[in-house]
Amino acid sequence: MSNKMWGGRFSSAPDAIMEEINASIGFDYRFAAQDIRGSQAHVAMLAEAGIIPADDAASISKGLEQVRAEIEAGTFTFSRALEDIHMNVESRLSDVVGPHAGRLHTARSRNDQVALDFRLWIRDTIDEIDQQIFDLQKALSEKALAHAASIMPGFTHLQSAQPVTFGHHLLAYVEMLARDRGRFTDARKRLNECPLGAAALAGTSFPIDRDKTAATLGFDRPTANSLDSVSDRDFVLETLSAAAITSVHLSRFAEEIVLWATPQFGFARLSDSFTTGSSIMPQKRNPDAAELVRGKSGRVIGALTGLLIVMKGLPLAYSKDMQEDKEGTFDALQSLSLCLAATTGMVIDMQPDLKRMKSAAGSGYSTATDLADWLVKNLKLPFRRAHHVTGELVRMASDRRIGLEKLPLADMQHVEAGITADVFSVLGVDKSVRSRTSYGGTAPANVRVQARRWLSRLAKEKRTV
Ligand code: ARG
């Protein structure tokens, strides 16, 4: 049997392999709700513009409701022979309402239809992801406020650098996530133009009202160029790049959680809910959730790269290559959503070991910069000279395997005569952290202000979580 939708020009059915390579229903069934919504807006506009009879439009719209109900109830049979969601819905519509279902496809094409469905789907998904990032920001900010003064080592090159607070560290991620949300919001703004009515590629000779359908579907305006409307997937690429950057942020945090949870670091204990045991080594508590958040970033980045490659050689307008825009995107955004949920759960459950963190914060001569700063402030040494003097003192302490605060004053004065006992006041980690009061610095007072600022900013969004 030739195809129900374009049988006119064809006399036989496609080869089985052709059907397999061509069909997208196995994944674009996810567009069912968007497809029906778009069709209802289109058919109402067609009737209002006098392009099709009003009673046919009403019957089509009602029929589409029935199709929607069947899909929601799980009683709808998707057919691969009908290729994609657009033709599956339309074919069932014609069973339900009769041949006038065929009027629905007036003045449109699957090319503008799929562009519309995907924009609607991405728009909904961005809203869901935004909510999830919000939830994570809130969990991090709450934990940060509770730990505004909890001291941990700050690292550069993963070498102990200067003490910071755990709250400060967590708020670093709140800032990153805010920019991530900004990127999704920007992508959403730019994609919010309606491609419906671009038809196959050139527009249509029917007197359609594109402003009307755009407004009905919540778009800011119709797209201005019909070729662009059906050809570009930059709205998907932008969303995937925002997703890739977010997943890289989550991956870095996950890597830190993996490190913190090792017995060697021992900075944090993860709850049983986000760890697994080993079937052979009874002592193990593996941070699987964190490892998977780290690992899944690969898929998200891969989806972005994959779609960039699909698109890069395509001439205008639509080519079937573009059907490859969906599976990677679905997988990537679903993975990101799962990673966000898992990270939020880990943050809420995580128990930092404050004693361990604090004692690690003092190791590795992490207050050496404070000593150098003391020399600059009190002895008016140029910073470079102070750095050199401090280096000698660190070497002396390190040779004796003791901390800087354990060096006898007389030995210090041997290196720099002007040093007084006051120097010991800056060698402790508490003092060091408290002194970092510059804007954006790690002093607990600053961190408290920042955490409260975030919590009130988030509360103002008045979301129901
Ligand atoms: N299933 C197709 C896709 O996902 C819909 C558009 C088909 N258009 C066409 N001219 N064959 O891209």
Side-chain angles (χ1 to χ4, degrees):
M1 201 188 76
S2 67
N3 188 289
K4 194 166 164 182
M5 295 293 165
W6 57 66
R9 198 179 178 292
F10 287 71
S11 53
S12 64
D15 188 273
I17 295 295
M18 176 55 197
E19 189 177 291
E20 191 177 342
I21 195 171
N22 203 33
S24 54
I25 189 62
F27 43 90
D28 68 11
Y29 69 86
R30 287 182 181 78
F31 289 164
Q34 289 79 9
D35 198 69
I36 289 172
R37 217 178 134 196
S39 289
Q40 285 178 323
H42 183 65
V43 82
M45 178 278 292
L46 290 178
E48 253 178 71
I51 299 168
I52 67 167
D55 49 348
D56 282 355
S59 143
I60 288 172
S61 200
K62 210 167 141 232
L64 285 166
E65 275 313 313
Q66 182 180 327
V67 176
R68 184 209 307 277
E70 289 174 6
I71 293 174
E72 278 172 10
T75 57
F76 188 97
T77 335
F78 292 101
S79 146
R80 198 169 77 174
L82 289 165
E83 255 188 72
D84 55 26
I85 186 64
H86 324 295
M87 296 205 290
N88 269 269
V89 168
E90 198 185 322
S91 164
R92 178 66 190 139
L93 179 70
S94 91
D95 298 342
V96 173
V97 307
H100 64 269
R103 296 198 193 282
L104 169 61
H105 213 53
T106 313
R108 78 168 186 190
S109 144
R110 278 188 297 155
N111 295 350
D112 57 343
Q113 208 179 338
V114 73
L116 170 67
D117 292 2
F118 210 176
R119 281 186 197 236
L120 289 171
W121 187 90
I122 289 275
R123 201 173 69 179
D124 293 345
T125 305
I126 286 180
D127 293 343
E128 287 163 23
I129 286 177
D130 184 69
Q131 173 69 54
Q132 287 191 292
I133 305 181
F134 169 93
D135 294 345
L136 177 54
Q137 283 186 300
K138 190 155 174 271
L140 286 164
S141 302
E142 277 164 2
K143 215 116 254 123
L145 184 58
H147 291 287
S150 305
I151 293 173
M152 70 180 286
F155 299 94
T156 61
H157 314 267
L158 198 57
Q159 304 282 324
S160 201
Q162 291 173 355
V164 296
T165 75
F166 186 45
H168 195 54
H169 194 107
L170 297 178
L171 286 180
Y173 285 98
V174 177
E175 298 286 339
M176 296 178 224
L177 293 167
R179 293 191 295 277
D180 291 332
R181 289 180 70 191
R183 275 180 279 272
F184 279 111
T185 306
D186 285 349
R188 191 192 193 286
K189 261 185 227 148
R190 258 187 300 280
L191 74 76
N192 208 30
E193 295 187 343
C194 186
L196 186 60
L201 74 165
T204 174
S205 58
F206 289 100
I208 57 171
D209 183 349
R210 293 194 60 207
D211 290 307
K212 171 87 196 165
T213 41
T216 309
L217 294 166
F219 288 102
D220 296 329
R221 64 193 79 83
T223 50
N225 181 298
S226 62
L227 288 168
D228 172 45
S229 314
V230 296
S231 296
D232 209 352
R233 292 293 181 267
D234 59 354
F235 63 97
V236 186
L237 291 170
E238 274 199 74
T239 305
L240 287 177
S241 59
I245 296 171
T246 308
S247 74
V248 166
H249 288 152
L250 296 183
S251 180
R252 294 184 70 176
F253 187 43
E255 165 65 6
E256 296 190 318
I257 293 174
V258 169
L259 287 173
W260 295 347
T262 57
Q264 288 75 9
F265 270 78
F267 287 2
R269 190 181 154 84
L270 292 170
S271 73
D272 291 352
S273 330
F274 291 98
T275 45
T276 60
S278 155
S279 53
I280 175 167
M281 296 164 285
Q283 83 282 13
K284 299 271 300 250
R285 281 172 68 81
N286 295 328
D288 296 45
E291 293 168 83
L292 286 163
V293 168
R294 189 176 59 188
K296 280 181 193 291
S297 60
R299 295 182 182 225
V300 185
I301 297 163
L304 170 62
T305 315
L307 185 55
L308 284 166
I309 295 168
V310 166
M311 297 304 296
K312 79 172 186 58
L314 299 185
L316 304 187
Y318 178 86
S319 296
K320 197 64 174 257
D321 313 46
M322 287 162 69
Q323 184 165 286
E324 291 296 316
D325 58 1
K326 296 173 196 59
E327 284 165 288
T329 306
F330 294 149
D331 180 75
L333 297 179
Q334 194 184 328
S335 299
L336 177 61
S337 162
L338 193 55
C339 291
L340 284 163
T343 307
T344 304
M346 284 189 283
V347 168
I348 291 170
D349 281 12
M350 181 193 298
Q351 296 293 333
D353 184 333
L354 302 180
K355 267 177 81 178
R356 222 22 230 219
M357 278 185 172
K358 189 169 177 181
S359 82
S363 71
Y365 305 102
S366 66
T367 55
T369 317
D370 300 276
L371 172 52
D373 290 349
W374 186 92
L375 295 171
V376 170
K377 286 183 204 157
N378 294 277
L379 307 186
K380 309 290 176 234
L381 299 190
F383 183 76
R384 289 292 170 215
R385 170 80 196 133
H387 184 283
H388 188 83
V389 169
T390 307
E392 281 185 46
L393 292 171
V394 166
R395 193 175 49 193
M396 183 187 278
S398 154
D399 287 347
R400 300 181 196 177
R401 300 188 187 286
I402 55 174
L404 278 173
E405 71 287 356
K406 297 269 155 55
L407 278 181
L409 181 60
D411 292 351
M412 289 200 197
Q413 286 167 337
H414 198 70
V415 177
E416 170 52 59
I419 297 180
T420 68
D422 180 61
V423 76
F424 292 106
S425 71
V426 300
L427 295 180
V429 286
D430 290 288
K431 191 86 193 271
S432 164
V433 154
R434 267 205 308 274
S435 73
R436 298 276 190 274
T437 52
S438 58
Y439 180 71
T442 198
N446 283 18
V447 175
R448 239 170 253 123
V449 168
Q450 291 291 336
R452 289 208 180 97
R453 179 180 69 89
W454 271 114
L455 286 169
S456 81
R457 206 169 130 176
L458 295 168
K460 279 195 200 104
E461 292 192 35
K462 283 205 191 65
R463 285 167 182 257
T464 44
V465 180

